[in-house]
Amino acid sequence: MKRTIGIVGARGHTGAELIRLVAAHPGFELAFVSSRELAGQPVRDHVAGYDGALRYENLSHEDVAANGADAVVLALPNGKSAELVDGIDVAKPDTVVVDLSADHRFDDGWYYGLPELTRGAYAGERRISNPGCYATAMQLAVAPLKDVLAAPPACFGVSGYSGAGTTPTDRNDPEKLRDNLMPYALTDHVHEREVTRRLGVPVEFMPHVAPHFRGITMTVNLWLAQASTREAIKARYASFYAGEPLVRVVDEAPWVSAIAGRHHAEIGGFALAPGGKRVVVVATLDNLLKGAATQAMQNLNLAFGFDELTAIPEPSPGWKPGPGDS
């Protein structure tokens, strides 16, 4: 019998990606997709690649809780999940809830699901907090060196404007972004606090939005306590992520245009300054996939005992290792 999955906030970009992934899963089926704005409309009219009969529904918090789905994925803005989770806690507490917002990333009662770094700590929790897209890129870029750092990593992040969601703002207005790079929230960003908490080392994060639609580039400046070599640093990353099919260690600095629409992250560059103590690493990922929907699918698979990559296309289309890639 298939497990049933409901999605709340399905109108957004991440919701559409989740619909495609769940629909392709041999062990899951969509129970409902909730969207107030699209209520009554066929999902297939809005999500390319989905040809099922499901329609969007405008479900109340009580409706979602009473639906009885085996799992509910919350793809809502920050600050909107509490009442839904409270209702599920009462109506069907064994429901797996995967929250894509920041609402539970600082809650020790929820499992924090960045599988490549935290799957060993999963102990059957039914409440799973999906990491932020920027935070995923930062943690993957910093984690292999976090124990040998001499100073807080400085992380310069650039996201496509899909990361700003579908509600109109300056940060997702293509006209305002044209020929532009828009900085915002340059100190104390929620992802800065998230990564500092999860890695146990302070990080400095400077986010920007660019005119492209999807994909994150994270350029990270790292000071080492002891001098090293480029070869040793790259080998450290390759060893750290050995056996992780959704993290690719590459030789050159990866390009965001090559990651859009793909389910893995790439880490490369490994530029070493004279003296051997300053290294710059570049990570890229698709903010809607490995930064959101793909990671949610990894967490759903983990929660229900499926292979972690079930329904996740792998290897990513078109990817071939080049010279020096692992």
Side-chain angles (χ1 to χ4, degrees), residues 176-183 209-211:
K176 290 184 178 178
L177 288 168
R178 189 185 304 279
D179 301 321
N180 194 18
L181 186 66
M182 188 179 293
V209 179

Side-chain angles (χ1 to χ4, degrees), residues 73-309:
V73 182
L74 305 179
L76 295 168
N78 294 342
K80 301 293 186 182
S81 71
E83 289 186 22
L84 273 163
V85 174
D86 288 345
I88 293 170
D89 284 344
V90 171
K92 192 172 181 287
D94 62 340
T95 303
V96 172
V97 179
V98 179
D99 184 9
L100 273 66
S101 79
D103 290 2
H104 297 97
R105 294 176 190 153
F106 300 87
D107 185 341
D108 289 335
W110 285 57
Y111 166 70
Y112 182 79
L114 204 173
E116 289 77 11
L117 302 183
T118 69
R119 75 166 68 85
Y122 182 70
E125 291 89 348
R126 314 302 278 178
R127 301 290 179 265
I128 299 173
S129 179
N130 229 55
C133 51
Y134 276 130
T136 296
M138 276 190 277
Q139 288 176 84
L140 293 176
V142 174
L145 292 177
K146 75 169 188 171
D147 295 332
V148 296
L149 296 176
C155 307
F156 185 93
V158 180
S159 175
Y161 61 84
S162 60
T166 55
T167 301
T169 69
D170 287 352
R171 297 204 307 272
N172 59 19
D173 184 335
E175 288 305 313
K176 290 184 178 178
L177 288 168
R178 189 185 304 279
D179 301 321
N180 194 18
L181 186 66
M182 188 179 293
Y184 70 99
L186 295 174
T187 62
D188 199 38
H189 190 285
V190 64
H191 291 319
E192 180 177 276
R193 288 182 272 122
E194 178 183 346
V195 175
T196 294
R197 175 183 173 86
R198 293 297 168 179
L199 287 184
V201 297
V203 300
E204 299 165 352
F205 174 46
M206 297 148 285
H208 298 70
V209 179
H212 60 275
F213 177 68
R214 62 197 301 162
I216 282 174
T217 299
M218 186 66 62
T219 303
V220 182
N221 188 76
L222 300 142
W223 284 96
L224 307 177
Q226 301 292 329
S228 187
T229 66
R230 185 181 189 276
E231 293 74 20
I233 291 165
K234 185 186 171 189
R236 188 182 184 105
Y237 277 77
S239 174
F240 193 92
Y241 291 117
E244 295 291 352
L246 296 186
V247 180
R248 306 284 171 75
V249 177
V250 300
D251 191 58
E252 300 297 324
W255 288 12
V256 72
S257 59
I259 207 72
R262 299 183 180 181
H263 296 267
H264 65 280
E266 293 188 356
I267 305 173
F270 308 111
L272 198 66
K277 287 190 174 183
R278 177 185 168 227
V279 60
V280 179
V281 175
V282 179
T284 60
L285 54 78
D286 187 311
N287 54 296
L288 303 179
L289 294 176
K290 181 56 180 160
T294 302
Q295 197 137 259
M297 180 55 72
Q298 289 179 269
N299 286 319
L300 286 168
N301 282 329
L302 184 64
F304 288 109
F306 293 102
D307 182 277
E308 195 177 293
L309 295 182

